Amino acid sequence: LVGPEMCIRDRDQMVTYIFLTRVVRSITATRIDRQILRRIRSGDIAVDLYRPVSFVGLSYGQALGGGLFFLVVIGLPLVVLGRLLFGMQPPVSSAAGLLFGLSTALGVLVQLGIDVTFGLATFWTMAGWGIGMAKSFTERFFSGALIPLNFFPGWLRSIADWLPFRSVVFTPIAIYNGMIPVEEAPAYLAVQAAWAVGLNLAAALVVRRAYRRLEVQGG
């Protein structure tokens, strides 16, 4: 979905955006790709893929546990600090707050699909560190974590609108802030859900390919 959301209107909304960026990133940053790279280098990935548990399902569990942990340790303290000291605003409505939570949950699924797919792709390259740094910057930039997408020039915003990264950070915050009106939010949630399904199907496919590669190499 491509659409010109309202711009950030004042200082308090910008402060809110900055704090929410850290909160959302703390929840959605699964770090699964880094774990996969380390386990590929050590050879432990073979054990993971041969366990009688879905690798993608196991990644879901790790992402959920990590997200809840960082929500408690980082996210909630940031919200309290932002509200007390810096004028962080509450959601524009109770409905926006609920939709923000749902959108953030979908953002976790989108990020998980990206991370598992990318992480296992390094199974074929073994050069994941440098590529991982480029991936990290790209997703932060195009998700709106560094600069709100409203500030992008038109041509660059068009690119960001057609990539999955905006579904991880910008969409939840734009719903919270009212940049995406509540009545338009379901369409954006549907886009997030579509990315989540597509990327996690891609992750499952890459897992199967990695499993076959292990069978061939191991005889």
Side-chain angles (χ1 to χ4, degrees), residues 14 27 33 65 90 95 114 124 126 134:
M14 176 58 79
I27 299 170
D33 53 338
I114 294 171
W124 285 267
M126 297 299 293

Side-chain angles (χ1 to χ4, degrees), residues 32-124:
I32 295 295
D33 53 338
R34 300 177 188 177
Q35 296 179 30
I36 292 174
L37 177 58
R38 286 196 296 268
R39 295 186 74 80
I40 287 175
R41 288 177 171 174
S42 68
D44 292 334
I45 192 67
V47 177
D48 294 333
L49 292 176
Y50 275 102
R51 285 176 176 168
V53 178
S54 165
F55 183 82
V56 175
L58 182 63
S59 299
Y60 269 86
Q62 292 175 336
L64 177 61
L68 291 175
F69 173 79
F70 285 108
L71 171 63
V72 173
V73 173
I74 297 177
L76 294 179
L78 276 175
V79 170
V80 173
L81 181 66
R83 287 285 292 153
L84 293 178
L85 300 181
F86 297 97
M88 178 180 171
Q89 298 174 329
V92 292
S93 67
S94 57
L98 292 173
L99 290 170
F100 164 75
L102 177 57
S103 181
T104 300
L106 288 171
V108 172
L109 296 181
V110 173
Q111 186 68 60
L112 181 62
I114 294 171
D115 287 348
V116 173
T117 302
F118 171 82
L120 281 176
T122 60
F123 196 85
W124 285 267

Side-chain angles (χ1 to χ4, degrees), residues 150-174:
N150 304 99
F151 295 166
F152 282 17
W155 65 271
L156 189 58
R157 175 65 189 272
S158 296
I159 295 174
D161 283 337
W162 289 102
L163 293 175
F165 308 117
R166 64 165 286 157
S167 291
V168 179
V169 175
F170 185 77
T171 297
I173 297 176

